Amino acid sequence: MKEAGFPLGILLLFWVSYFTDFSLVLLIKGGALSGTDTYQSLVNKTFGFPGYLLLSVLQFLYPFIVDPENVFIGRHFIVVLSTVTFTLPLSLYRNIAKLGKISFISTVLTALILGIVMTRVISLGPHIPKTEDAWVFAKPNAIQAVGVMSFAFICHHNCFLVYGSLEEPTVTKWSRIIHMSIFISVFISVLFATCGYWTFTGFTQGDLFENYCRTDDLVTFGRFCYGVTVILTYPLECFVTREVFATVFFGGTLSSVCHIIITVAIITVAMLVSLLTDCLGIVLELSGVLCAAPLIFIIPSACYLKLSEEPRTHSDKIMSCVMLPVGAVVMVFGFVMAITNPQDCTHGQEMFYCSPDNFSFTNTSDSHIQLTTQLSILNSSIFQ
């Protein structure tokens, strides 16, 4: 919302969700047309080894572009501890269906976090000064916003794995599940985006929790829930990365020893990458434009256009012809804009309104006039 402008951002969010829904169904249709049951084999049969190699690189790299003086409460120690204790054991599962209950827990926690964000838009929002351009229709960084939205909706890399885990996998059943899932996802995303941006407008960070004050106990609980959702979600990404590695180098089958070694290696490298950065915004943008955009918009459309024998006027082909160039634009221009104009990052520092002199969450008597006056002084230097 901050990058695109609130009204345009809402429209883009629905647009990305619609394209995601369409492309997920398109992938399974492409698999049916080509007689394949994995993303890699679909692209390999359609575009040969070069396409297969490109897709494998994108699928393999996607999960890696992620995210006090006492070392035992520091960020690095917590990341290592949670990885070894929770992420690694969950990632060692061989059957993706076993992660279903874990994903359900993550969904419940997401609902709790959403409730916290909605609560704070009422109790905290009126005390945060609004930026001047908060409600303009569109902003020049809209393509960057599309990159972040693409990251939020990407699930194509494990599309065939989930499809294959269904008791009776059919295109009709898959379409029904996808429509329902995308509808729920976009509903949650719109609520998150609206409540978060309504609270902080131009001060909104790439990681929304960076906007809240450390003394806010309710939000601290929300941060904990968010950390748990990441821990429970990452094994799905690791599953795909490991499958790509197994397919490319071991013919698709791993022994028990190789399974453990490769899983440990993937988790270790991903953990090391996460320790090197604390800015979520640029991570979401780069992952969105470099990996999510081609996996959502470009590759499914290209495969279907080459495999389908439907006439050019068929609705699926028309949509594919629209999605493919749009994805290319988002990928190229989004990458350039993400590098030349990265999102602001506070590196964990408290926002100015959390200072006792400016705003106290337990004392909301500070006048809006005082905050507005201080804003003119702080606005130019807050992110330096």
Side-chain angles (χ1 to χ4, degrees):
M1 302 304 103
K2 176 185 175 183
E3 299 294 330
F6 182 77
L8 179 60
I10 293 294
L11 294 176
L12 288 175
L13 196 56
F14 280 105
W15 170 75
V16 171
S17 68
Y18 176 76
F19 272 24
T20 301
D21 183 289
F22 178 80
S23 62
L24 283 168
V25 176
L26 210 61
L27 273 181
I28 299 302
K29 288 184 178 180
L33 289 171
S34 60
T36 56
D37 58 0
T38 67
Y39 204 164
Q40 294 103 310
S41 58
L42 167 63
V43 176
N44 188 26
K45 190 165 184 178
T46 308
F47 295 105
F49 183 74
Y52 167 79
L53 183 62
L54 174 62
L55 176 70
S56 298
V57 170
L58 291 175
Q59 286 189 293
F60 185 83
L61 289 180
Y62 172 75
F64 290 105
I65 314 181
V66 290
D67 162 13
E69 298 298 327
N70 191 336
V71 66
F72 294 109
I73 61 174
R75 173 179 175 271
H76 291 73
F77 177 78
I78 296 299
V79 169
V80 174
L81 180 64
S82 61
T83 299
V84 174
T85 307
F86 300 105
T87 308
L88 179 58
L90 292 174
S91 298
L92 287 171
Y93 277 122
R94 281 180 172 270
N95 187 353
I96 196 171
K98 292 184 178 180
L99 297 174
K101 294 181 180 179
I102 296 174
S103 298
F104 176 75
I105 296 174
S106 179
T107 303
V108 172
L109 292 176
T110 298
L112 288 176
I113 298 170
L114 178 57
I116 292 173
V117 173
M118 294 174 67
T119 299
R120 283 294 175 256
V121 72
I122 298 174
S123 60
L124 180 60
H127 304 284
I128 305 297
K130 309 304 178 186
T131 51
E132 294 181 359
D133 61 346
W135 306 113
V136 298
F137 180 82
K139 295 182 181 179
N141 296 335
I143 292 183
Q144 289 175 271
V146 174
V148 175
M149 294 173 190
S150 300
F151 179 93
F153 283 96
I154 178 66
C155 53
H156 298 61
H157 49 303
N158 52 32
C159 171
F160 283 94
L161 292 173
V162 177
Y163 177 75
S165 69
L166 299 178
E167 293 183 0
E168 298 178 2
T170 63
V171 174
T172 302
K173 186 176 182 179
W174 174 255
S175 299
R176 185 170 63 251
I177 292 173
I178 287 302
H179 297 334
M180 183 183 301
S181 300
I182 294 298
F183 175 79
I184 295 173
S185 297
V186 73
F187 177 74
I188 293 175
S189 296
V190 168
L191 283 179
F192 261 119
T194 301
C195 293
Y197 185 76
W198 198 289
T199 305
F200 302 107
T201 59
F203 298 112
T204 306
Q205 297 292 291
D207 179 356
L208 184 62
F209 279 124
E210 289 291 311
N211 280 104
Y212 297 100
C213 304
R214 296 176 183 174
T215 55
D216 190 337
D217 293 335
L218 180 62
V219 174
T220 298
F221 173 71
R223 293 186 179 102
F224 171 78
C225 292
Y226 179 64
V228 174
T229 62
V230 173
I231 291 173
L232 298 181
T233 302
Y234 188 82
L236 289 170
E237 310 301 335
C238 180
F239 197 104
V240 177
T241 302
R242 185 177 58 230
E243 188 204 37
V244 171
F245 196 90
T247 302
V248 174
F249 297 103
F250 295 93
T253 304
L254 291 175
S255 65
S256 297
V257 175
C258 288
H259 173 85
I260 294 174
I261 293 176
I262 292 175
T263 302
V264 172
I266 292 172
I267 294 296
T268 300
V269 174
M271 180 186 68
L272 293 175
V273 172
S274 70
L275 293 174
L276 296 177
T277 179
D278 59 359
C279 291
L280 186 59
I282 185 64
V283 173
L284 297 180
E285 285 187 10
L286 288 178
S287 183
V289 298
L290 292 179
C291 294
L295 289 174
I296 293 178
F297 303 118
I298 300 175
I299 298 178
S301 301
C303 288
Y304 184 79
L305 287 173
K306 188 169 183 179
L307 292 170
S308 177
E309 297 180 355
E310 299 286 351
R312 294 181 180 180
T313 56
H314 191 275
S315 58
D316 286 349
K317 279 202 169 182
I318 294 175
M319 278 294 298
S320 298
C321 289
V322 173
M323 284 175 54
L324 199 155
V326 167
V329 170
V330 171
M331 182 177 180
V332 174
F333 288 94
F335 175 73
V336 173
M337 295 180 70
I339 297 299
T340 59
N341 186 33
Q343 289 192 32
D344 301 315
C345 183
T346 61
H347 298 285
Q349 295 182 359
E350 287 268 64
M351 298 295 289
F352 71 92
Y353 46 75
C354 293
S355 171
D357 295 332
N358 297 326
F359 178 77
S360 173
F361 189 73
T362 58
N363 179 15
T364 57
S365 61
D366 293 319
S367 68
H368 179 74
I369 297 177
Q370 178 188 4
L371 286 170
T372 304
T373 302
Q374 293 167 342
L375 175 62
S376 62
I377 302 174
L378 294 168
N379 192 32
S380 62
S381 61
I382 186 64
F383 295 124
Q384 291 183 357

